[in-house]
Amino acid sequence: MIVDCHGHYTTAPKELEEYRKRQLENPGNPAKGALKISDDQIRESLEGAQLRIQRERGTDLTIFSPRAMGMGHHLGNETTSRHWSEHCNDLIHRVCTLYPKNFAGVCQLPQSPGVRPQNSIAELERCVKQLGFIGCNVNPDPSGGHWSDPPLTDKWWYPLYEKMVELDVPAMVHVSGSCNPNFHATGAHYINGDTTAFMQFITSDLFKDFPKLKFIIPHGGGAVPYHWGRYRGLAQDMKRPPLKELVLGNVYFDTCVYHQAGIDLLLKVIPIENILFASEVVGAVRGIDPETGHYYDDTKRYIEASSLSAADKQKLFEGNARKVYPRWKPQGG
Amino acid sequence: MIVDCHGHYTTAPKELEEYRKRQLENPGNPAKGALKISDDQIRESLEGAQLRIQRERGTDLTIFSPRAMGMGHHLGNETTSRHWSEHCNDLIHRVCTLYPKNFAGVCQLPQSPGVRPQNSIAELERCVKQLGFIGCNVNPDPSGGHWSDPPLTDKWWYPLYEKMVELDVPAMVHVSGSCNPNFHATGAHYINGDTTAFMQFITSDLFKDFPKLKFIIPHGGGAVPYHWGRYRGLAQDMKRPPLKELVLGNVYFDTCVYHQAGIDLLLKVIPIENILFASEVVGAVRGIDPETGHYYDDTKRYIEASSLSAADKQKLFEGNARKVYPRWKPQGG
């Protein structure tokens, strides 16, 4: 079985964006408002996209969350963010209900800059307990590129982490769009968010406080595996424990790295137990690589072309996901 | 001959930091103040550090600039930044005068958040014309982690670029310290700065406007080579030219990547013409890698252990530097 741990609903029916547009035009409106999308519309939005690609590439299940760029925590206010998150998460729930073999749900959280993460707990709990979600996305920078909130290792975040541990769900550390003209969203802000979070983890005792807390750092861990020697050396200079002991019991990288050499490096330097298969389809890079004739984001090909043993491939494609997402229960087939 | 294009004067005599401390305690003081350091103190600061390491590792020349973390453009004001830059650059000049075979000078610029880069031109011109410097360091984020100034591709920067082209000097894109608690300086802010700058270059026509402008992106290009497929794919999705055409006539990566697998990836995906040897000694990572028994930052070992041909090694160690730093004229020996 092949589990893709990183997919967003980037192809949602246009009514979703229209709702968001109306909402942001009037952020003072306390009413949640309705979102009308039919089951057929949902089916249509997936059949030609994520489901087709699952079939074509031979993957089985996508751990699926709302569009990351769409979270837009820097837009609107705490109330708009809550309503928006509820609608987005409900839509993911409908996807998972329509296609229980193909998708498992992960929620976005109703974050806002300056708003305590504990205010996201109610939505996390609703998604996990009522909607059967198996994880959440945590935005380390709700300001959208200004990085004005405390680091992920600050006690500011601890109430949310307590709930994550209680519910036994991991978080993918995933920024949303950037409103800072310095940062291209998918080309800089995403990757910087990943690198930044990892370095925050190295310099803190977060995982002493929460030994069971689990984070997935997407996009192959940002810059981290490429600079693995730097991170090992920095930890050593700071008299911290080796990275394996310091963070690798709690931190996982996905395989959203869109060329063979990058995947080969990831598989070489990071222990296989810490790598989860992912492609982020349909996502940031949609074209065909003229050097290979295949889609850049067809990451399964890179894994298959690597020198991993069959046992290690099984861990990467399925076994590790079962450990990281303990609430995931495969449905039938 | 082996040229290390990335070294900072991290071992300067303590009088330098004492000057800075006094200066920042009284940023309203318009007086520049004196810095008293003897030639013997300079010799002593280098003999046991950079010069010893050059001898031990068999490198010949270091392209040398003031301590990057020390630039602190976010501290003080425009006047303190100018005085501080002048002192730091004068000290580099003295180093290069004492050891002309071992060091070639690169200046820091007197940047400040919100201050136009054209105000740095006078110091750049002084360093190049009067002190014989061969390049400069440009901080893409003078705010120290708040990224509040325009991107490097904004016309805000153009007067500085015009002068760089006129003087025929390249810039290394190098942030300084971070005053944002989200960003560890050498572990996150440095690498993010590199990644961010590259993505800015991809999305702009900067190099159409300045075909002769040259940037070195240090720390192995941040996350870029590891995500080379992502960047190729993003450019393609945006209907931009291939990266080779779009940026590789103007952008170079150094080899400050502190493990073999990282260097191997860099050498594999980036054309050899775009890579400059560097170690950033004495720099961010100072320990010995227990996996190899050698210093993490002894990057020459990784290059030597790679499968590069002798001709390519010559380009990387020397030939490319001659092209990127046309003002550099080897002294004797």
Side-chain angles (χ1 to χ4, degrees), chain B residues 174-205:
Chain B
H174 205 307
V175 298
S176 183
S178 160
C179 61
N180 185 325
N182 280 284
F183 302 128
H184 183 277
T186 52
H189 191 43
Y190 277 33
I191 305 296
N192 292 351
D194 306 332
T195 308
T196 299
F198 186 79
M199 194 63 207
Q200 292 176 359
F201 296 148
I202 287 188
T203 47
S204 85
D205 287 323

Short mmCIF file of all heavy atoms in Angstrom, two decimals, chain B residues 174-205:
data_model
loop_
_atom_site.label_atom_id
_atom_site.label_comp_id
_atom_site.label_asym_id
_atom_site.label_seq_id
_atom_site.Cartn_x
_atom_site.Cartn_y
_atom_site.Cartn_z
N HIS B 174 24.49 38.16 1.70
CA HIS B 174 24.75 37.59 3.02
C HIS B 174 24.02 38.39 4.09
O HIS B 174 24.33 39.55 4.31
CB HIS B 174 26.26 37.60 3.30
CG HIS B 174 26.70 36.55 4.28
ND1 HIS B 174 26.13 36.40 5.53
CD2 HIS B 174 27.64 35.57 4.18
CE1 HIS B 174 26.72 35.38 6.15
NE2 HIS B 174 27.64 34.86 5.36
N VAL B 175 23.08 37.76 4.75
CA VAL B 175 22.41 38.41 5.87
C VAL B 175 23.38 38.54 7.04
O VAL B 175 24.48 37.97 7.03
CB VAL B 175 21.15 37.63 6.33
CG1 VAL B 175 20.11 37.57 5.21
CG2 VAL B 175 21.50 36.27 6.85
N SER B 176 22.94 39.27 8.05
CA SER B 176 23.71 39.38 9.28
C SER B 176 22.94 38.66 10.38
O SER B 176 22.23 37.70 10.11
CB SER B 176 23.95 40.86 9.59
OG SER B 176 24.75 40.99 10.74
N GLY B 177 23.07 39.13 11.60
CA GLY B 177 22.38 38.48 12.71
C GLY B 177 20.86 38.62 12.60
O GLY B 177 20.35 39.35 11.76
N SER B 178 20.18 37.89 13.46
CA SER B 178 18.72 37.92 13.49
C SER B 178 18.25 38.48 14.82
O SER B 178 18.69 38.01 15.89
CB SER B 178 18.18 36.50 13.31
OG SER B 178 16.85 36.42 13.77
N CYS B 179 17.36 39.46 14.75
CA CYS B 179 16.72 39.93 15.99
C CYS B 179 15.28 39.42 16.06
O CYS B 179 14.49 39.90 16.86
CB CYS B 179 16.79 41.45 16.10
SG CYS B 179 15.96 42.33 14.77
N ASN B 180 14.96 38.47 15.21
CA ASN B 180 13.65 37.83 15.24
C ASN B 180 13.80 36.47 15.91
O ASN B 180 14.55 35.62 15.41
CB ASN B 180 13.12 37.67 13.81
CG ASN B 180 11.70 37.13 13.77
OD1 ASN B 180 11.31 36.31 14.61
ND2 ASN B 180 10.92 37.58 12.81
N PRO B 181 13.14 36.25 17.04
CA PRO B 181 13.35 35.00 17.77
C PRO B 181 12.95 33.75 16.99
O PRO B 181 13.31 32.64 17.38
CB PRO B 181 12.49 35.17 19.03
CG PRO B 181 11.53 36.27 18.72
CD PRO B 181 12.18 37.15 17.69
N ASN B 182 12.23 33.92 15.89
CA ASN B 182 11.91 32.75 15.08
C ASN B 182 13.13 32.20 14.35
O ASN B 182 13.16 31.02 14.01
CB ASN B 182 10.85 33.11 14.03
CG ASN B 182 9.46 33.13 14.61
OD1 ASN B 182 8.87 32.09 14.86
ND2 ASN B 182 8.95 34.33 14.89
N PHE B 183 14.10 33.07 14.07
CA PHE B 183 15.20 32.68 13.19
C PHE B 183 16.52 32.56 13.94
O PHE B 183 17.11 33.59 14.33
CB PHE B 183 15.38 33.71 12.06
CG PHE B 183 14.17 33.92 11.21
CD1 PHE B 183 13.68 35.20 10.99
CD2 PHE B 183 13.52 32.85 10.62
CE1 PHE B 183 12.57 35.42 10.18
CE2 PHE B 183 12.39 33.05 9.82
CZ PHE B 183 11.92 34.34 9.61
N HIS B 184 17.00 31.36 14.13
CA HIS B 184 18.38 31.19 14.56
C HIS B 184 19.26 31.74 13.43
O HIS B 184 19.01 31.46 12.25
CB HIS B 184 18.66 29.71 14.78
CG HIS B 184 20.04 29.43 15.30
ND1 HIS B 184 21.13 29.34 14.48
CD2 HIS B 184 20.50 29.24 16.55
CE1 HIS B 184 22.21 29.08 15.20
NE2 HIS B 184 21.85 29.01 16.47
N ALA B 185 20.28 32.51 13.79
CA ALA B 185 21.04 33.23 12.75
C ALA B 185 21.69 32.26 11.76
O ALA B 185 21.30 32.20 10.59
CB ALA B 185 22.08 34.13 13.39
N THR B 186 22.67 31.49 12.22
CA THR B 186 23.43 30.67 11.26
C THR B 186 22.66 29.42 10.82
O THR B 186 22.95 28.85 9.78
CB THR B 186 24.77 30.24 11.86
OG1 THR B 186 24.54 29.63 13.13
CG2 THR B 186 25.69 31.43 12.04
N GLY B 187 21.65 29.01 11.60
CA GLY B 187 20.92 27.79 11.27
C GLY B 187 19.67 28.02 10.44
O GLY B 187 19.22 27.11 9.75
N ALA B 188 19.10 29.21 10.52
CA ALA B 188 17.87 29.46 9.75
C ALA B 188 17.98 30.74 8.92
O ALA B 188 17.81 30.72 7.71
CB ALA B 188 16.66 29.55 10.69
N HIS B 189 18.32 31.86 9.56
CA HIS B 189 18.29 33.14 8.85
C HIS B 189 19.28 33.15 7.67
O HIS B 189 18.93 33.60 6.57
CB HIS B 189 18.63 34.26 9.84
CG HIS B 189 18.38 35.64 9.32
ND1 HIS B 189 17.27 35.99 8.60
CD2 HIS B 189 19.12 36.79 9.42
CE1 HIS B 189 17.33 37.29 8.29
NE2 HIS B 189 18.45 37.77 8.76
N TYR B 190 20.47 32.62 7.89
CA TYR B 190 21.47 32.58 6.80
C TYR B 190 20.93 31.78 5.61
O TYR B 190 20.95 32.24 4.47
CB TYR B 190 22.77 31.91 7.27
CG TYR B 190 23.74 32.79 8.02
CD1 TYR B 190 23.31 33.84 8.83
CD2 TYR B 190 25.12 32.57 7.94
CE1 TYR B 190 24.21 34.63 9.52
CE2 TYR B 190 26.02 33.36 8.63
CZ TYR B 190 25.58 34.39 9.43
OH TYR B 190 26.48 35.15 10.11
N ILE B 191 20.47 30.60 5.90
CA ILE B 191 20.04 29.69 4.83
C ILE B 191 18.77 30.23 4.16
O ILE B 191 18.63 30.19 2.93
CB ILE B 191 19.79 28.27 5.42
CG1 ILE B 191 21.04 27.76 6.16
CG2 ILE B 191 19.35 27.30 4.34
CD1 ILE B 191 22.25 27.54 5.30
N ASN B 192 17.86 30.78 4.95
CA ASN B 192 16.64 31.37 4.38
C ASN B 192 16.99 32.55 3.48
O ASN B 192 16.35 32.74 2.43
CB ASN B 192 15.71 31.88 5.49
CG ASN B 192 15.11 30.77 6.31
OD1 ASN B 192 15.24 29.59 5.99
ND2 ASN B 192 14.45 31.13 7.40
N GLY B 193 17.96 33.35 3.90
CA GLY B 193 18.35 34.50 3.09
C GLY B 193 18.83 34.05 1.72
O GLY B 193 18.50 34.67 0.70
N ASP B 194 19.59 32.98 1.69
CA ASP B 194 20.12 32.46 0.42
C ASP B 194 18.97 31.98 -0.48
O ASP B 194 18.91 32.32 -1.66
CB ASP B 194 21.06 31.27 0.69
CG ASP B 194 22.17 31.62 1.67
OD1 ASP B 194 22.56 32.79 1.74
OD2 ASP B 194 22.64 30.71 2.39
N THR B 195 18.08 31.18 0.10
CA THR B 195 16.96 30.63 -0.66
C THR B 195 16.06 31.75 -1.17
O THR B 195 15.62 31.74 -2.33
CB THR B 195 16.14 29.69 0.27
OG1 THR B 195 17.04 28.75 0.88
CG2 THR B 195 15.06 28.95 -0.50
N THR B 196 15.80 32.71 -0.30
CA THR B 196 14.92 33.82 -0.64
C THR B 196 15.47 34.64 -1.81
O THR B 196 14.75 34.98 -2.75
CB THR B 196 14.74 34.72 0.60
OG1 THR B 196 14.15 33.93 1.63
CG2 THR B 196 13.87 35.93 0.30
N ALA B 197 16.76 34.95 -1.75
CA ALA B 197 17.39 35.76 -2.80
C ALA B 197 17.28 35.04 -4.15
O ALA B 197 16.92 35.65 -5.16
CB ALA B 197 18.84 36.03 -2.46
N PHE B 198 17.56 33.75 -4.15
CA PHE B 198 17.52 33.01 -5.42
C PHE B 198 16.12 33.08 -6.03
O PHE B 198 15.97 33.30 -7.23
CB PHE B 198 17.94 31.56 -5.19
CG PHE B 198 18.04 30.79 -6.48
CD1 PHE B 198 19.16 30.93 -7.29
CD2 PHE B 198 17.02 29.96 -6.90
CE1 PHE B 198 19.27 30.24 -8.49
CE2 PHE B 198 17.12 29.26 -8.10
CZ PHE B 198 18.25 29.40 -8.90
N MET B 199 15.10 32.89 -5.19
CA MET B 199 13.73 32.91 -5.71
C MET B 199 13.36 34.30 -6.19
O MET B 199 12.62 34.45 -7.17
CB MET B 199 12.77 32.40 -4.64
CG MET B 199 11.41 32.06 -5.17
SD MET B 199 11.43 30.71 -6.39
CE MET B 199 9.95 31.12 -7.34
N GLN B 200 13.87 35.33 -5.52
CA GLN B 200 13.64 36.70 -6.02
C GLN B 200 14.22 36.84 -7.43
O GLN B 200 13.58 37.40 -8.32
CB GLN B 200 14.27 37.72 -5.07
CG GLN B 200 13.58 37.80 -3.71
CD GLN B 200 14.27 38.75 -2.74
OE1 GLN B 200 15.29 39.35 -3.04
NE2 GLN B 200 13.70 38.89 -1.55
N PHE B 201 15.42 36.33 -7.61
CA PHE B 201 16.07 36.45 -8.92
C PHE B 201 15.24 35.74 -10.02
O PHE B 201 15.11 36.24 -11.13
CB PHE B 201 17.48 35.86 -8.89
CG PHE B 201 18.42 36.60 -7.98
CD1 PHE B 201 19.45 35.94 -7.32
CD2 PHE B 201 18.30 37.97 -7.77
CE1 PHE B 201 20.33 36.62 -6.47
CE2 PHE B 201 19.17 38.67 -6.92
CZ PHE B 201 20.19 37.98 -6.27
N ILE B 202 14.69 34.57 -9.68
CA ILE B 202 13.93 33.80 -10.67
C ILE B 202 12.71 34.56 -11.16
O ILE B 202 12.32 34.46 -12.32
CB ILE B 202 13.45 32.46 -10.06
CG1 ILE B 202 14.58 31.49 -9.90
CG2 ILE B 202 12.37 31.84 -10.93
CD1 ILE B 202 14.11 30.11 -9.49
N THR B 203 12.09 35.29 -10.25
CA THR B 203 10.79 35.90 -10.59
C THR B 203 10.95 37.31 -11.18
O THR B 203 9.95 37.99 -11.38
CB THR B 203 9.90 35.97 -9.33
OG1 THR B 203 10.67 36.49 -8.25
CG2 THR B 203 9.37 34.61 -8.96
N SER B 204 12.16 37.73 -11.44
CA SER B 204 12.34 39.11 -11.91
C SER B 204 13.14 39.16 -13.21
O SER B 204 13.68 38.15 -13.66
CB SER B 204 13.09 39.91 -10.86
OG SER B 204 14.49 39.71 -11.01
N ASP B 205 13.23 40.35 -13.76
CA ASP B 205 14.06 40.56 -14.94
C ASP B 205 15.33 41.34 -14.59
O ASP B 205 15.90 42.03 -15.44
CB ASP B 205 13.25 41.31 -16.01
CG ASP B 205 12.21 40.40 -16.63
OD1 ASP B 205 12.50 39.21 -16.82
OD2 ASP B 205 11.10 40.88 -16.92
#
